Amino acid sequence: RARLARYGEALAFSRGEQWLGRSRRGEPRLTCNYARTLLRKVAAYVFPAPATFTVPAGGGDGTGEAVANRVERVLADLVAELDLARLDVELCVEAAVLGDAALKVTWEAAAGRPAVAPVDPATLVVAAAADDPRRLLRVSQLYGLTGEGVAALLGRAGEAAGRGVVAHEPFALPDFAAARLPDAGRTYAVAEHWTAERWRVEVAGQTVRDEPNPYGWIPYVLVANNPRPHEVWGESDLVDLYDVCRELNARLSALSRVLEVSGSPIAVLENVDGSEGISVGPGAKWELPEGARAYLLDLLSGGGVGLHVQYVDLLYRSLHDLAETPRTAFGDSGRDLSGAALEVEIQPLVQKVGRKRRAWDAFHRERNARLLDLLERFGGLELGGLRRTTTVWPSVLPSDREGAIRQAAALVAAGIHSRRTAVAALGGEDPAGEMARVLEEARAFDGVGSG
């Protein structure tokens, strides 16, 4: 319950529901949703471009290298086909907001390929090993499905002409006993329970499927945002921003009110019994009794607005410090700095991105291992049993392409990196194929020269 309450609070806050209590009559309430902007900015730095993956060869012979190259191409094609690069960014934002994100990897027999679906972490309940919270022993997903969805989940057949409704097997629920098919207009509570050995499905509290796990592994992959070492679930990036964002909204609203009132002059009358016939406007004339005094109240005098602005600037700075996202990340440092000075100024963001990418490395390894396993076992592809992948991350900061190429060439010439590693580091999706094309061109030029 506490985790779901945290999810609800964080999600509402990211949507702009950042004020506490009910507003007073006439109270302006501005909401400057810096929190959501900062989280999206960090996600854009974590994934400035789609991540690519390399597959280490299984053996030292040439056949192992060839199989690894083929696996890389197959995985790259599948990632592009399933649009997983876009899903990575969406899950990165969700993990920053809620503290957790998840997806489900299964085999889609009709399409003949793996299916990757994002999962709301609020629908998941997990049981982890007592000695290792990162090792999940059981995952349950609780959600609602319409009758048609339930029928599809259970592999129902449609209606056969002249024979009524036909099912592949009798339906176990009393609700469906007469029609042998769930009511299409009704929503049923569905619970899936997965362990590495078994898969059990409950509909409306009754077990309708209980069979061996067809995959041999739990099909859910979790990514926790900044988890504690002994916790399964993570923590929202908004935790440190709640109070500052609320105070910033309150101060900006107060400043807005001051400026609004100052734009409508307030006439102050002294030693006057009534204000009949007194109006403020161009060309207005007042007749005041002897000893009376009239003047316009200037709310901007005395530097009061300046104090408001200074306090807002202080809150603004605190917000960027707590989010570890300097103003430089938005393209405006406010001063002229050298390239080295800019790197130092944006270093907190670079370190934060590095922490997040370590979690995403593990996420990609698990997701890709499941995808490759499905392709080989159910898709019939010969992948040599290779499952391990390494994520090749794009540079966090804008990089000098020419400098990166010169550095890669120097490493290859010195025998530190192979050409395949250099091509992968520069963003090539098919290092082996690129090398083959280079050699083919070289042979072609040699043939022309000899001719």
Side-chain angles (χ1 to χ4, degrees), residues 28-63:
R29 286 192 166 186
L30 300 179
T31 301
C32 298
N33 203 344
Y34 280 105
R36 181 169 60 182
T37 300
L38 287 168
L39 299 191
R40 288 177 173 175
K41 176 61 68 174
V42 173
Y45 274 88
V46 175
F47 292 99
T52 56
F53 307 98
T54 61
V55 178
D61 57 352
T63 57

PDB file of all heavy atoms in Angstrom, residues 28-63:
ATOM      1  N   PRO A  28      -4.438  33.400  -6.272  1.00  0.00           N
ATOM      2  CA  PRO A  28      -3.893  32.874  -7.528  1.00  0.00           C
ATOM      3  C   PRO A  28      -2.969  31.701  -7.239  1.00  0.00           C
ATOM      4  O   PRO A  28      -2.188  31.727  -6.283  1.00  0.00           O
ATOM      5  CB  PRO A  28      -3.112  34.060  -8.105  1.00  0.00           C
ATOM      6  CG  PRO A  28      -2.693  34.848  -6.902  1.00  0.00           C
ATOM      7  CD  PRO A  28      -3.798  34.675  -5.880  1.00  0.00           C
ATOM      8  N   ARG A  29      -3.065  30.674  -8.032  1.00  0.00           N
ATOM      9  CA  ARG A  29      -2.205  29.499  -7.862  1.00  0.00           C
ATOM     10  C   ARG A  29      -1.568  29.147  -9.197  1.00  0.00           C
ATOM     11  O   ARG A  29      -2.183  28.518 -10.053  1.00  0.00           O
ATOM     12  CB  ARG A  29      -3.003  28.314  -7.315  1.00  0.00           C
ATOM     13  CG  ARG A  29      -3.353  28.440  -5.843  1.00  0.00           C
ATOM     14  CD  ARG A  29      -3.876  27.136  -5.278  1.00  0.00           C
ATOM     15  NE  ARG A  29      -3.905  27.152  -3.831  1.00  0.00           N
ATOM     16  CZ  ARG A  29      -4.217  26.103  -3.073  1.00  0.00           C
ATOM     17  NH1 ARG A  29      -4.543  24.959  -3.655  1.00  0.00           N
ATOM     18  NH2 ARG A  29      -4.198  26.194  -1.758  1.00  0.00           N
ATOM     19  N   LEU A  30      -0.313  29.575  -9.354  1.00  0.00           N
ATOM     20  CA  LEU A  30       0.447  29.239 -10.552  1.00  0.00           C
ATOM     21  C   LEU A  30       1.190  27.926 -10.317  1.00  0.00           C
ATOM     22  O   LEU A  30       1.707  27.687  -9.228  1.00  0.00           O
ATOM     23  CB  LEU A  30       1.444  30.341 -10.880  1.00  0.00           C
ATOM     24  CG  LEU A  30       0.882  31.735 -11.163  1.00  0.00           C
ATOM     25  CD1 LEU A  30       2.007  32.717 -11.450  1.00  0.00           C
ATOM     26  CD2 LEU A  30      -0.093  31.703 -12.330  1.00  0.00           C
ATOM     27  N   THR A  31       1.259  27.107 -11.330  1.00  0.00           N
ATOM     28  CA  THR A  31       2.017  25.857 -11.261  1.00  0.00           C
ATOM     29  C   THR A  31       3.026  25.849 -12.397  1.00  0.00           C
ATOM     30  O   THR A  31       2.661  25.714 -13.564  1.00  0.00           O
ATOM     31  CB  THR A  31       1.100  24.631 -11.376  1.00  0.00           C
ATOM     32  OG1 THR A  31       0.144  24.652 -10.318  1.00  0.00           O
ATOM     33  CG2 THR A  31       1.916  23.350 -11.294  1.00  0.00           C
ATOM     34  N   CYS A  32       4.281  26.048 -12.044  1.00  0.00           N
ATOM     35  CA  CYS A  32       5.380  25.958 -13.010  1.00  0.00           C
ATOM     36  C   CYS A  32       5.988  24.568 -12.856  1.00  0.00           C
ATOM     37  O   CYS A  32       6.731  24.318 -11.895  1.00  0.00           O
ATOM     38  CB  CYS A  32       6.419  27.046 -12.764  1.00  0.00           C
ATOM     39  SG  CYS A  32       5.769  28.720 -12.952  1.00  0.00           S
ATOM     40  N   ASN A  33       5.666  23.679 -13.765  1.00  0.00           N
ATOM     41  CA  ASN A  33       6.015  22.267 -13.592  1.00  0.00           C
ATOM     42  C   ASN A  33       7.468  22.018 -13.980  1.00  0.00           C
ATOM     43  O   ASN A  33       7.773  21.327 -14.962  1.00  0.00           O
ATOM     44  CB  ASN A  33       5.079  21.391 -14.427  1.00  0.00           C
ATOM     45  CG  ASN A  33       5.004  19.976 -13.897  1.00  0.00           C
ATOM     46  OD1 ASN A  33       5.849  19.566 -13.109  1.00  0.00           O
ATOM     47  ND2 ASN A  33       4.002  19.227 -14.317  1.00  0.00           N
ATOM     48  N   TYR A  34       8.390  22.579 -13.178  1.00  0.00           N
ATOM     49  CA  TYR A  34       9.807  22.339 -13.407  1.00  0.00           C
ATOM     50  C   TYR A  34      10.158  20.877 -13.159  1.00  0.00           C
ATOM     51  O   TYR A  34      11.097  20.348 -13.770  1.00  0.00           O
ATOM     52  CB  TYR A  34      10.648  23.222 -12.487  1.00  0.00           C
ATOM     53  CG  TYR A  34      10.799  24.647 -12.966  1.00  0.00           C
ATOM     54  CD1 TYR A  34      10.099  25.682 -12.360  1.00  0.00           C
ATOM     55  CD2 TYR A  34      11.644  24.960 -14.020  1.00  0.00           C
ATOM     56  CE1 TYR A  34      10.225  26.993 -12.799  1.00  0.00           C
ATOM     57  CE2 TYR A  34      11.787  26.261 -14.465  1.00  0.00           C
ATOM     58  CZ  TYR A  34      11.079  27.271 -13.846  1.00  0.00           C
ATOM     59  OH  TYR A  34      11.214  28.561 -14.286  1.00  0.00           O
ATOM     60  N   ALA A  35       9.454  20.229 -12.253  1.00  0.00           N
ATOM     61  CA  ALA A  35       9.780  18.847 -11.897  1.00  0.00           C
ATOM     62  C   ALA A  35       9.719  17.936 -13.122  1.00  0.00           C
ATOM     63  O   ALA A  35      10.660  17.178 -13.405  1.00  0.00           O
ATOM     64  CB  ALA A  35       8.829  18.353 -10.816  1.00  0.00           C
ATOM     65  N   ARG A  36       8.609  17.991 -13.862  1.00  0.00           N
ATOM     66  CA  ARG A  36       8.478  17.127 -15.034  1.00  0.00           C
ATOM     67  C   ARG A  36       9.512  17.488 -16.094  1.00  0.00           C
ATOM     68  O   ARG A  36      10.098  16.610 -16.741  1.00  0.00           O
ATOM     69  CB  ARG A  36       7.064  17.244 -15.605  1.00  0.00           C
ATOM     70  CG  ARG A  36       6.829  16.351 -16.815  1.00  0.00           C
ATOM     71  CD  ARG A  36       5.367  16.285 -17.183  1.00  0.00           C
ATOM     72  NE  ARG A  36       4.817  17.580 -17.515  1.00  0.00           N
ATOM     73  CZ  ARG A  36       3.541  17.788 -17.836  1.00  0.00           C
ATOM     74  NH1 ARG A  36       2.707  16.764 -17.830  1.00  0.00           N
ATOM     75  NH2 ARG A  36       3.112  18.987 -18.127  1.00  0.00           N
ATOM     76  N   THR A  37       9.790  18.781 -16.252  1.00  0.00           N
ATOM     77  CA  THR A  37      10.776  19.208 -17.244  1.00  0.00           C
ATOM     78  C   THR A  37      12.165  18.683 -16.899  1.00  0.00           C
ATOM     79  O   THR A  37      12.902  18.214 -17.773  1.00  0.00           O
ATOM     80  CB  THR A  37      10.800  20.744 -17.332  1.00  0.00           C
ATOM     81  OG1 THR A  37       9.503  21.213 -17.706  1.00  0.00           O
ATOM     82  CG2 THR A  37      11.816  21.205 -18.361  1.00  0.00           C
ATOM     83  N   LEU A  38      12.538  18.739 -15.628  1.00  0.00           N
ATOM     84  CA  LEU A  38      13.853  18.261 -15.212  1.00  0.00           C
ATOM     85  C   LEU A  38      13.985  16.757 -15.429  1.00  0.00           C
ATOM     86  O   LEU A  38      15.037  16.273 -15.880  1.00  0.00           O
ATOM     87  CB  LEU A  38      14.090  18.614 -13.751  1.00  0.00           C
ATOM     88  CG  LEU A  38      14.354  20.095 -13.459  1.00  0.00           C
ATOM     89  CD1 LEU A  38      14.287  20.367 -11.963  1.00  0.00           C
ATOM     90  CD2 LEU A  38      15.712  20.520 -14.006  1.00  0.00           C
ATOM     91  N   LEU A  39      12.944  15.991 -15.128  1.00  0.00           N
ATOM     92  CA  LEU A  39      13.013  14.543 -15.323  1.00  0.00           C
ATOM     93  C   LEU A  39      13.134  14.191 -16.799  1.00  0.00           C
ATOM     94  O   LEU A  39      13.887  13.284 -17.178  1.00  0.00           O
ATOM     95  CB  LEU A  39      11.787  13.868 -14.721  1.00  0.00           C
ATOM     96  CG  LEU A  39      11.571  14.039 -13.207  1.00  0.00           C
ATOM     97  CD1 LEU A  39      10.474  13.103 -12.725  1.00  0.00           C
ATOM     98  CD2 LEU A  39      12.843  13.801 -12.436  1.00  0.00           C
ATOM     99  N   ARG A  40      12.394  14.894 -17.635  1.00  0.00           N
ATOM    100  CA  ARG A  40      12.505  14.635 -19.076  1.00  0.00           C
ATOM    101  C   ARG A  40      13.874  15.025 -19.605  1.00  0.00           C
ATOM    102  O   ARG A  40      14.424  14.358 -20.498  1.00  0.00           O
ATOM    103  CB  ARG A  40      11.410  15.409 -19.819  1.00  0.00           C
ATOM    104  CG  ARG A  40      10.016  14.844 -19.624  1.00  0.00           C
ATOM    105  CD  ARG A  40       8.977  15.692 -20.333  1.00  0.00           C
ATOM    106  NE  ARG A  40       7.651  15.092 -20.293  1.00  0.00           N
ATOM    107  CZ  ARG A  40       6.554  15.679 -20.753  1.00  0.00           C
ATOM    108  NH1 ARG A  40       6.630  16.902 -21.280  1.00  0.00           N
ATOM    109  NH2 ARG A  40       5.382  15.068 -20.675  1.00  0.00           N
ATOM    110  N   LYS A  41      14.438  16.096 -19.056  1.00  0.00           N
ATOM    111  CA  LYS A  41      15.764  16.523 -19.492  1.00  0.00           C
ATOM    112  C   LYS A  41      16.803  15.461 -19.164  1.00  0.00           C
ATOM    113  O   LYS A  41      17.670  15.142 -19.983  1.00  0.00           O
ATOM    114  CB  LYS A  41      16.113  17.857 -18.824  1.00  0.00           C
ATOM    115  CG  LYS A  41      17.521  18.368 -19.138  1.00  0.00           C
ATOM    116  CD  LYS A  41      17.715  18.618 -20.616  1.00  0.00           C
ATOM    117  CE  LYS A  41      16.870  19.777 -21.101  1.00  0.00           C
ATOM    118  NZ  LYS A  41      17.152  20.126 -22.511  1.00  0.00           N
ATOM    119  N   VAL A  42      16.739  14.894 -17.963  1.00  0.00           N
ATOM    120  CA  VAL A  42      17.692  13.850 -17.584  1.00  0.00           C
ATOM    121  C   VAL A  42      17.535  12.628 -18.483  1.00  0.00           C
ATOM    122  O   VAL A  42      18.522  12.023 -18.923  1.00  0.00           O
ATOM    123  CB  VAL A  42      17.508  13.469 -16.105  1.00  0.00           C
ATOM    124  CG1 VAL A  42      18.374  12.271 -15.753  1.00  0.00           C
ATOM    125  CG2 VAL A  42      17.867  14.645 -15.208  1.00  0.00           C
ATOM    126  N   ALA A  43      16.284  12.234 -18.785  1.00  0.00           N
ATOM    127  CA  ALA A  43      16.057  11.097 -19.678  1.00  0.00           C
ATOM    128  C   ALA A  43      16.645  11.359 -21.066  1.00  0.00           C
ATOM    129  O   ALA A  43      17.173  10.440 -21.707  1.00  0.00           O
ATOM    130  CB  ALA A  43      14.557  10.801 -19.783  1.00  0.00           C
ATOM    131  N   ALA A  44      16.577  12.609 -21.507  1.00  0.00           N
ATOM    132  CA  ALA A  44      17.149  12.947 -22.810  1.00  0.00           C
ATOM    133  C   ALA A  44      18.667  12.826 -22.788  1.00  0.00           C
ATOM    134  O   ALA A  44      19.281  12.524 -23.826  1.00  0.00           O
ATOM    135  CB  ALA A  44      16.740  14.369 -23.204  1.00  0.00           C
ATOM    136  N   TYR A  45      19.293  13.042 -21.640  1.00  0.00           N
ATOM    137  CA  TYR A  45      20.740  12.866 -21.534  1.00  0.00           C
ATOM    138  C   TYR A  45      21.118  11.405 -21.365  1.00  0.00           C
ATOM    139  O   TYR A  45      22.185  10.981 -21.805  1.00  0.00           O
ATOM    140  CB  TYR A  45      21.296  13.694 -20.370  1.00  0.00           C
ATOM    141  CG  TYR A  45      21.625  15.126 -20.758  1.00  0.00           C
ATOM    142  CD1 TYR A  45      20.665  16.124 -20.693  1.00  0.00           C
ATOM    143  CD2 TYR A  45      22.893  15.470 -21.204  1.00  0.00           C
ATOM    144  CE1 TYR A  45      20.951  17.430 -21.055  1.00  0.00           C
ATOM    145  CE2 TYR A  45      23.200  16.780 -21.561  1.00  0.00           C
ATOM    146  CZ  TYR A  45      22.227  17.748 -21.487  1.00  0.00           C
ATOM    147  OH  TYR A  45      22.522  19.039 -21.850  1.00  0.00           O
ATOM    148  N   VAL A  46      20.272  10.613 -20.715  1.00  0.00           N
ATOM    149  CA  VAL A  46      20.542   9.183 -20.601  1.00  0.00           C
ATOM    150  C   VAL A  46      20.470   8.528 -21.974  1.00  0.00           C
ATOM    151  O   VAL A  46      21.300   7.677 -22.329  1.00  0.00           O
ATOM    152  CB  VAL A  46      19.548   8.515 -19.633  1.00  0.00           C
ATOM    153  CG1 VAL A  46      19.757   6.994 -19.611  1.00  0.00           C
ATOM    154  CG2 VAL A  46      19.715   9.068 -18.235  1.00  0.00           C
ATOM    155  N   PHE A  47      19.491   8.911 -22.775  1.00  0.00           N
ATOM    156  CA  PHE A  47      19.314   8.373 -24.123  1.00  0.00           C
ATOM    157  C   PHE A  47      19.328   9.515 -25.139  1.00  0.00           C
ATOM    158  O   PHE A  47      18.291   9.834 -25.739  1.00  0.00           O
ATOM    159  CB  PHE A  47      17.997   7.600 -24.229  1.00  0.00           C
ATOM    160  CG  PHE A  47      17.955   6.331 -23.441  1.00  0.00           C
ATOM    161  CD1 PHE A  47      17.339   6.280 -22.195  1.00  0.00           C
ATOM    162  CD2 PHE A  47      18.523   5.167 -23.935  1.00  0.00           C
ATOM    163  CE1 PHE A  47      17.291   5.114 -21.467  1.00  0.00           C
ATOM    164  CE2 PHE A  47      18.484   3.983 -23.212  1.00  0.00           C
ATOM    165  CZ  PHE A  47      17.867   3.961 -21.971  1.00  0.00           C
ATOM    166  N   PRO A  48      20.481  10.175 -25.366  1.00  0.00           N
ATOM    167  CA  PRO A  48      20.518  11.218 -26.398  1.00  0.00           C
ATOM    168  C   PRO A  48      20.371  10.636 -27.799  1.00  0.00           C
ATOM    169  O   PRO A  48      20.037  11.346 -28.744  1.00  0.00           O
ATOM    170  CB  PRO A  48      21.902  11.853 -26.198  1.00  0.00           C
ATOM    171  CG  PRO A  48      22.723  10.773 -25.577  1.00  0.00           C
ATOM    172  CD  PRO A  48      21.782   9.987 -24.717  1.00  0.00           C
ATOM    173  N   ALA A  49      20.639   9.352 -27.936  1.00  0.00           N
ATOM    174  CA  ALA A  49      20.472   8.616 -29.191  1.00  0.00           C
ATOM    175  C   ALA A  49      20.208   7.167 -28.807  1.00  0.00           C
ATOM    176  O   ALA A  49      20.490   6.755 -27.671  1.00  0.00           O
ATOM    177  CB  ALA A  49      21.722   8.730 -30.070  1.00  0.00           C
ATOM    178  N   PRO A  50      19.638   6.371 -29.706  1.00  0.00           N
ATOM    179  CA  PRO A  50      19.368   4.968 -29.361  1.00  0.00           C
ATOM    180  C   PRO A  50      20.642   4.233 -28.980  1.00  0.00           C
ATOM    181  O   PRO A  50      21.689   4.384 -29.613  1.00  0.00           O
ATOM    182  CB  PRO A  50      18.757   4.404 -30.650  1.00  0.00           C
ATOM    183  CG  PRO A  50      18.184   5.589 -31.357  1.00  0.00           C
ATOM    184  CD  PRO A  50      19.109   6.728 -31.038  1.00  0.00           C
ATOM    185  N   ALA A  51      20.553   3.444 -27.919  1.00  0.00           N
ATOM    186  CA  ALA A  51      21.676   2.603 -27.518  1.00  0.00           C
ATOM    187  C   ALA A  51      21.803   1.424 -28.484  1.00  0.00           C
ATOM    188  O   ALA A  51      20.811   0.919 -29.009  1.00  0.00           O
ATOM    189  CB  ALA A  51      21.472   2.104 -26.091  1.00  0.00           C
ATOM    190  N   THR A  52      23.026   0.994 -28.726  1.00  0.00           N
ATOM    191  CA  THR A  52      23.280  -0.175 -29.562  1.00  0.00           C
ATOM    192  C   THR A  52      23.904  -1.264 -28.694  1.00  0.00           C
ATOM    193  O   THR A  52      24.294  -1.024 -27.548  1.00  0.00           O
ATOM    194  CB  THR A  52      24.213   0.167 -30.737  1.00  0.00           C
ATOM    195  OG1 THR A  52      25.433   0.727 -30.223  1.00  0.00           O
ATOM    196  CG2 THR A  52      23.558   1.196 -31.665  1.00  0.00           C
ATOM    197  N   PHE A  53      23.996  -2.477 -29.268  1.00  0.00           N
ATOM    198  CA  PHE A  53      24.432  -3.618 -28.466  1.00  0.00           C
ATOM    199  C   PHE A  53      25.450  -4.449 -29.238  1.00  0.00           C
ATOM    200  O   PHE A  53      25.319  -4.645 -30.447  1.00  0.00           O
ATOM    201  CB  PHE A  53      23.231  -4.497 -28.089  1.00  0.00           C
ATOM    202  CG  PHE A  53      22.115  -3.737 -27.440  1.00  0.00           C
ATOM    203  CD1 PHE A  53      21.012  -3.311 -28.190  1.00  0.00           C
ATOM    204  CD2 PHE A  53      22.156  -3.401 -26.099  1.00  0.00           C
ATOM    205  CE1 PHE A  53      19.988  -2.595 -27.606  1.00  0.00           C
ATOM    206  CE2 PHE A  53      21.143  -2.681 -25.501  1.00  0.00           C
ATOM    207  CZ  PHE A  53      20.061  -2.274 -26.259  1.00  0.00           C
ATOM    208  N   THR A  54      26.475  -4.895 -28.515  1.00  0.00           N
ATOM    209  CA  THR A  54      27.436  -5.836 -29.060  1.00  0.00           C
ATOM    210  C   THR A  54      27.263  -7.177 -28.356  1.00  0.00           C
ATOM    211  O   THR A  54      26.814  -7.239 -27.210  1.00  0.00           O
ATOM    212  CB  THR A  54      28.880  -5.343 -28.872  1.00  0.00           C
ATOM    213  OG1 THR A  54      29.148  -5.202 -27.460  1.00  0.00           O
ATOM    214  CG2 THR A  54      29.078  -3.999 -29.546  1.00  0.00           C
ATOM    215  N   VAL A  55      27.629  -8.236 -29.073  1.00  0.00           N
ATOM    216  CA  VAL A  55      27.503  -9.598 -28.544  1.00  0.00           C
ATOM    217  C   VAL A  55      28.889 -10.214 -28.521  1.00  0.00           C
ATOM    218  O   VAL A  55      29.486 -10.426 -29.588  1.00  0.00           O
ATOM    219  CB  VAL A  55      26.549 -10.445 -29.405  1.00  0.00           C
ATOM    220  CG1 VAL A  55      26.457 -11.868 -28.866  1.00  0.00           C
ATOM    221  CG2 VAL A  55      25.168  -9.804 -29.461  1.00  0.00           C
ATOM    222  N   PRO A  56      29.440 -10.498 -27.338  1.00  0.00           N
ATOM    223  CA  PRO A  56      30.754 -11.142 -27.283  1.00  0.00           C
ATOM    224  C   PRO A  56      30.708 -12.521 -27.926  1.00  0.00           C
ATOM    225  O   PRO A  56      29.735 -13.263 -27.781  1.00  0.00           O
ATOM    226  CB  PRO A  56      31.046 -11.234 -25.776  1.00  0.00           C
ATOM    227  CG  PRO A  56      30.147 -10.215 -25.148  1.00  0.00           C
ATOM    228  CD  PRO A  56      28.924 -10.171 -26.004  1.00  0.00           C
ATOM    229  N   ALA A  57      31.761 -12.864 -28.656  1.00  0.00           N
ATOM    230  CA  ALA A  57      31.825 -14.159 -29.327  1.00  0.00           C
ATOM    231  C   ALA A  57      31.919 -15.275 -28.307  1.00  0.00           C
ATOM    232  O   ALA A  57      32.506 -15.121 -27.232  1.00  0.00           O
ATOM    233  CB  ALA A  57      33.005 -14.202 -30.284  1.00  0.00           C
ATOM    234  N   GLY A  58      31.334 -16.429 -28.679  1.00  0.00           N
ATOM    235  CA  GLY A  58      31.347 -17.555 -27.751  1.00  0.00           C
ATOM    236  C   GLY A  58      32.680 -18.254 -27.658  1.00  0.00           C
ATOM    237  O   GLY A  58      33.037 -18.791 -26.630  1.00  0.00           O
ATOM    238  N   GLY A  59      33.474 -18.275 -28.721  1.00  0.00           N
ATOM    239  CA  GLY A  59      34.763 -18.969 -28.715  1.00  0.00           C
ATOM    240  C   GLY A  59      35.825 -18.164 -29.417  1.00  0.00           C
ATOM    241  O   GLY A  59      35.560 -17.093 -29.970  1.00  0.00           O
ATOM    242  N   GLY A  60      37.032 -18.665 -29.436  1.00  0.00           N
ATOM    243  CA  GLY A  60      38.128 -17.940 -30.061  1.00  0.00           C
ATOM    244  C   GLY A  60      38.258 -18.185 -31.539  1.00  0.00           C
ATOM    245  O   GLY A  60      39.093 -17.571 -32.198  1.00  0.00           O
ATOM    246  N   ASP A  61      37.493 -19.134 -32.094  1.00  0.00           N
ATOM    247  CA  ASP A  61      37.614 -19.414 -33.523  1.00  0.00           C
ATOM    248  C   ASP A  61      36.785 -18.441 -34.335  1.00  0.00           C
ATOM    249  O   ASP A  61      35.997 -17.658 -33.822  1.00  0.00           O
ATOM    250  CB  ASP A  61      37.173 -20.858 -33.815  1.00  0.00           C
ATOM    251  CG  ASP A  61      35.756 -21.123 -33.332  1.00  0.00           C
ATOM    252  OD1 ASP A  61      35.197 -20.242 -32.646  1.00  0.00           O
ATOM    253  OD2 ASP A  61      35.222 -22.206 -33.633  1.00  0.00           O
ATOM    254  N   GLY A  62      36.938 -18.467 -35.617  1.00  0.00           N
ATOM    255  CA  GLY A  62      36.232 -17.552 -36.502  1.00  0.00           C
ATOM    256  C   GLY A  62      34.746 -17.803 -36.545  1.00  0.00           C
ATOM    257  O   GLY A  62      33.959 -16.889 -36.779  1.00  0.00           O
ATOM    258  N   THR A  63      34.332 -19.067 -36.310  1.00  0.00           N
ATOM    259  CA  THR A  63      32.901 -19.358 -36.360  1.00  0.00           C
ATOM    260  C   THR A  63      32.170 -18.646 -35.237  1.00  0.00           C
ATOM    261  O   THR A  63      31.061 -18.145 -35.427  1.00  0.00           O
ATOM    262  CB  THR A  63      32.666 -20.872 -36.261  1.00  0.00           C
ATOM    263  OG1 THR A  63      33.262 -21.355 -35.047  1.00  0.00           O
ATOM    264  CG2 THR A  63      33.303 -21.593 -37.440  1.00  0.00           C
TER     265      THR A  63
END
